[in-house]
Amino acid sequence: MNQFHYLRSRTERDAIEAAAQRIDSRFLAGGTTLIDLMKLEVERPTEVIDINALPLAGIEPLAGGGVRIGAMARNSDVAHHELIRKQYPVLSEALLSGASPQLRNMATVGGNIMQRTRCYYFRDLSFDCNKRLPGSGCPALEGFNRIHAILGGSDKCIATNPSDMNVALVALDSVIRLQGPRGERTIPFDQFHLEPGDTPERETALESGELITAVDIPAAPWASNSLYLKLRDRASYEFALASVALGIEMSDGRIKTSRVAFGGVATKPWRARNVEEVLAGQAPSEDLFARAAAAAIEGARPRRDNSFKVELLQRAVLKALRMLRQNGAREGRA
Ligand SMILES: Cc1cc2nc3c(=O)[nH]c(=O)nc-3n(C[C@H](O)[C@H](O)[C@H](O)COP(=O)(O)OP(=O)(O)OC[C@H]3O[C@@H](n4cnc5c(N)ncnc54)[C@H](O)[C@@H]3O)c2cc1C
């Protein structure tokens, strides 16, 4: 690990001012991503700003509906919170499908949003990587690319965003609250993570010195009728190969509105608006579900080792739709 200066901030202002002074500083939340990457020397900050003393761990209902989750709320506290379990099961399930209980006790909402890819080439300094060193190349394109993206990639990078929580948050129309040197701003979750394009080193819309302070999730009828389905190589302690966040609002036996997002298959938390359009206004049926699954892979660009994800994602969409329909039938909704 390289030498770095450690600073424990007591206020948001201190943290932001410190971060704005050094472009290679990093906020330290739970440390479950950052410290690993520092040990691997993938991250080499000269200053680490510990934000654990900031009062940002609240989970509060918003006036008029919805919920505000502080950036320092731990993943396990969010997952087990009554309001989240009842109103946003997709978020609770996504969080509980991730990592291990010990990691979830440490990991925070802000850190989870910002966690970096698990691409083997990104995490191994003996390989080139356009994210680490722009222009150096991407060995994943022609190399072992089983875990890589089939959606949203470019000829510079096909690394996936590994977060489960992010998939639920993008489906739920969440909004990220940021505090920075120029004040406060908000950004829709779907616009926060960036596709790699020609600049894979730029992963988010976060600007220098900006701190994530909270995530706002609006109230919505589809949010409580929602689920998260995660497919992976083993049943726990494993990242997604394909995952689906799904929420549906029914009216008179038809799908009034839906929210659909994918993880494990894309370079960013992937909101599938084209699938939502297929479902809108339709009565649930196997034929409809098959059309939704087919839409899920529109624009997919599989590589040598990850072409199985084309089939896997379609099966995941089918299964998620069937599961939610069965839940609805049990509870008398559909
Ligand atoms: C073995 C293992 C298995 C895992 N499995 C899964 C899994 O299955 N699914 C899954 O989704 N995740 C998984 N994870 C990842 C885990 O969810 C993340 O490591 C965790 O969410 C990161 O949160 P943290 O608070 O520890 O972040 P940190 O490590 O403290 O920070 C991560 C990054 O976020 C930045 N950051 C932190 N807080 C803020 C803030 N408020 N504002 C701006 N920037 C901030 C930091 O500077 C850093 O760059 C796994 C991790 C490990 C180690």
Side-chain angles (χ1 to χ4, degrees), residues 114-322:
M114 293 293 292
Q115 69 167 292
R116 305 197 67 191
T117 182
R118 310 303 285 196
C119 171
Y120 333 104
Y121 302 104
F122 167 75
R123 292 171 67 89
D124 185 339
L125 289 191
S126 60
F127 289 97
D128 292 330
C129 172
N130 284 327
K131 265 191 196 303
R132 276 191 277 104
L133 187 61
S136 62
C138 174
L141 294 172
E142 303 302 331
F144 183 51
N145 43 36
R146 182 172 181 273
I147 65 168
H148 290 77
I150 57 170
L151 293 167
S154 72
D155 60 359
K156 301 282 190 300
C157 180
I158 52 170
T160 52
N161 183 290
S163 168
D164 294 299
M165 181 194 77
N166 287 348
V167 185
L169 289 178
V170 81
L172 288 167
D173 294 332
S174 312
V175 172
I176 299 185
R177 303 187 75 83
L178 302 170
Q179 193 68 247
R182 288 200 293 267
E184 190 177 28
R185 69 179 177 121
T186 57
I187 181 161
F189 204 91
D190 199 18
Q191 292 169 25
F192 185 76
H193 295 90
L194 308 175
E195 287 181 39
D198 287 333
T199 53
E201 71 281 7
R202 190 156 159 66
E203 294 173 356
T204 70
L206 198 75
E207 286 172 7
S208 178
E210 277 188 320
L211 176 77
I212 299 170
T213 55
V215 177
D216 289 352
I217 314 179
W222 58 83
S224 55
N225 184 35
S226 65
L227 59 74
Y228 187 71
L229 174 68
K230 178 173 177 178
L231 305 182
R232 46 190 157 169
D233 280 330
R234 57 181 175 195
S236 81
Y237 204 44
E238 188 56 275
F239 290 89
L241 288 170
S243 70
V244 178
L246 176 68
I248 284 182
E249 177 191 7
M250 296 294 295
S251 175
D252 294 332
R254 292 184 175 269
I255 296 171
K256 187 175 176 197
T257 320
S258 71
R259 291 291 182 272
V260 185
F262 304 144
V265 290
T267 51
K268 60 176 269 184
W270 198 259
R271 179 72 179 268
R273 288 195 164 81
N274 57 337
V275 178
E276 295 168 11
E277 279 166 24
V278 170
L279 295 171
Q282 305 297 316
S285 69
E286 280 298 307
D287 176 59
L288 177 69
F289 293 174
R291 281 189 283 126
I297 53 153
E298 272 169 23
R301 282 184 61 197
R303 303 266 164 182
R304 191 190 64 199
D305 305 310
N306 67 1
S307 53
F308 73 96
K309 287 190 180 182
V310 172
E311 182 67 26
L312 192 69
L313 178 60
Q314 293 182 85
R315 290 187 189 204
V317 170
L318 271 177
K319 184 166 181 180
L321 285 163
R322 288 174 184 152

Side-chain angles (χ1 to χ4, degrees), residues 20-50:
Q21 277 166 27
R22 290 201 202 181
I23 196 154
D24 58 354
S25 63
R26 290 286 182 275
F27 296 123
L28 175 69
T32 62
T33 284
L34 182 64
I35 302 296
D36 276 5
L37 292 177
M38 286 172 70
K39 287 186 202 158
L40 294 170
E41 302 208 340
V42 170
E43 293 266 18
R44 296 167 62 90
T46 56
E47 182 151 88
V48 170
I49 304 159
D50 188 337

